[in-house]
Amino acid sequence: MTSPRLEAEYADPTPLQVRIDTHRKYSEKPDDPGADVLAAVELTGTEHLADIGCGDARFLAGLAARGHRGPLVGLDTSPAMVAAAAAIPGVQAVLADAEQIPFEDNSFDVITARHMLYHVPDPRAALAEFRRTAKPGGAVAVVVNHPDACPRTAELVAAHAGSYGITTAEAFTATVDSDTLPAMMTDIFGTIRIHRSDNALVFDAAAPLIRFAEALFSFYGVMPDHPRRQAILTDMSEDIEDWFTHHPGQSWRDPKGYIVASAAT
Ligand SMILES: C[S@@+](CC[C@H](N)C(=O)[O-])C[C@H]1O[C@@H](n2cnc3c(N)ncnc32)[C@H](O)[C@@H]1O
């Protein structure tokens, strides 16, 4: 079950796309979780693959573009994301919850769940669904962030939201992270493999940091229709611009990272 908060956050693909583009362009080291997932699952191109929490479906579009011949499924709870998946020729787009995957047992050769499990209220239930719907001899790969990823930007957004009375109680809390996922996956799948990526976002100018911080607003309770959203954005933008003015030649560096945990089924 998703919350009204998550539904609002993913009703429009734009903030997600801003975050993805920011990680691609402003990471200190190359940042490509999709490539790390592909390295973990070693596709031959014929697999029946389900991408759970597929988002704007660029991962599935990439697979289709490189000639994947097996059936591709994009499943998400957001109608906007499902529409994006449906627009890719050959992709079966499914509006559903990871905790209740509407497929038979042993349906998929490969299941990927990239940067989505931390939104699921009961991540163990979703992992059990991955186990149930994956065929014996298949593979599952899950990507989650490190706890406390991008702490500086998170603190900045939380502080500006707080100055308008939006408390941290309204902030999004991850249900699983790179510290807790390995034990959860081991319980369900047995032996797992971990690929770890430690990185940072690095901004040399205010504009891309402002864009990224705004794309985090919903996670800190500043919803798209919040009456003070524009005022919060204006204050935060001034604060970020001041920081760059008072730190000439310096970068805003914010540590982050993720793991890809994969298992044979
Ligand atoms: C951070 S985005 C990641 C999207 C994509 N996997 C990527 O890495 O670009 C999280 C996605 O998970 C979806 N989502 C959240 N909770 C879900 C659930 N319980 N079941 C399926 N999808 C969910 C959201 O709608 C959103 O599209």
Side-chain angles (χ1 to χ4, degrees), residues 38 43 56-68 72 88 91:
L38 292 178
L43 299 180
D56 69 2
R58 63 178 81 186
F59 178 72
L60 293 169
L63 288 178
R66 48 186 259 180
H68 188 91
L72 296 172
I88 301 164
V91 169

Side-chain angles (χ1 to χ4, degrees), residues 33-254:
D36 290 337
V37 164
L38 292 178
V41 296
E42 296 177 4
L43 299 180
T44 62
T46 58
E47 293 85 356
H48 192 181
L49 180 147
D51 189 37
I52 309 296
C54 62
D56 69 2
R58 63 178 81 186
F59 178 72
L60 293 169
L63 288 178
R66 48 186 259 180
H68 188 91
R69 300 179 302 288
L72 296 172
V73 173
L75 181 149
D76 205 289
T77 43
S78 154
M81 304 302 181
V82 171
I88 301 164
V91 169
Q92 182 187 0
V94 179
L95 183 68
D97 194 308
E99 290 183 21
Q100 284 183 306
I101 297 178
F103 282 84
E104 308 268 299
D105 295 0
N106 307 330
S107 290
F108 305 114
D109 300 300
V110 174
I111 295 182
T112 54
R114 303 162 303 106
H115 283 121
M116 65 79 60
L117 198 62
Y118 40 64
H119 288 319
V120 178
D122 184 351
R124 284 176 188 276
L127 289 171
E129 279 293 85
F130 300 170
R131 180 87 191 80
R132 179 186 70 75
T133 55
K135 290 178 189 166
V140 171
V142 178
V143 185
V144 293
N145 285 330
H146 294 345
D148 244 356
C150 302
R152 286 184 78 184
T153 314
E155 199 183 311
L156 181 82
V157 177
H160 281 282
S163 70
Y164 283 83
I166 301 168
T167 64
T168 48
E170 294 169 69
F172 157 77
T173 317
T175 55
V176 60
D177 57 39
S178 64
D179 285 351
T180 52
L181 179 66
M184 264 186 216
M185 280 202 51
T186 304
D187 280 352
I188 292 170
F189 295 100
T191 306
I192 60 164
R193 282 190 303 160
I194 301 288
H195 168 83
R196 184 178 172 99
S197 167
D198 296 304
N199 207 337
L201 285 176
V202 179
F203 299 99
D204 296 328
L209 173 55
I210 293 168
R211 263 199 309 279
F212 177 63
E214 186 188 4
L216 298 175
F217 269 15
S218 300
F219 294 139
Y220 293 88
V222 188
M223 303 314 292
D225 60 353
H226 193 283
R228 308 311 304 276
R229 186 183 171 102
Q230 188 53 48
I232 297 169
L233 177 60
T234 302
D235 286 1
M236 187 187 72
S237 302
E238 284 171 11
D239 202 3
I240 291 173
E241 277 154 9
D242 276 358
W243 190 89
F244 281 96
T245 304
H246 291 105
H247 297 81
Q250 287 188 42
S251 303
W252 174 283
R253 184 178 185 281
D254 216 2

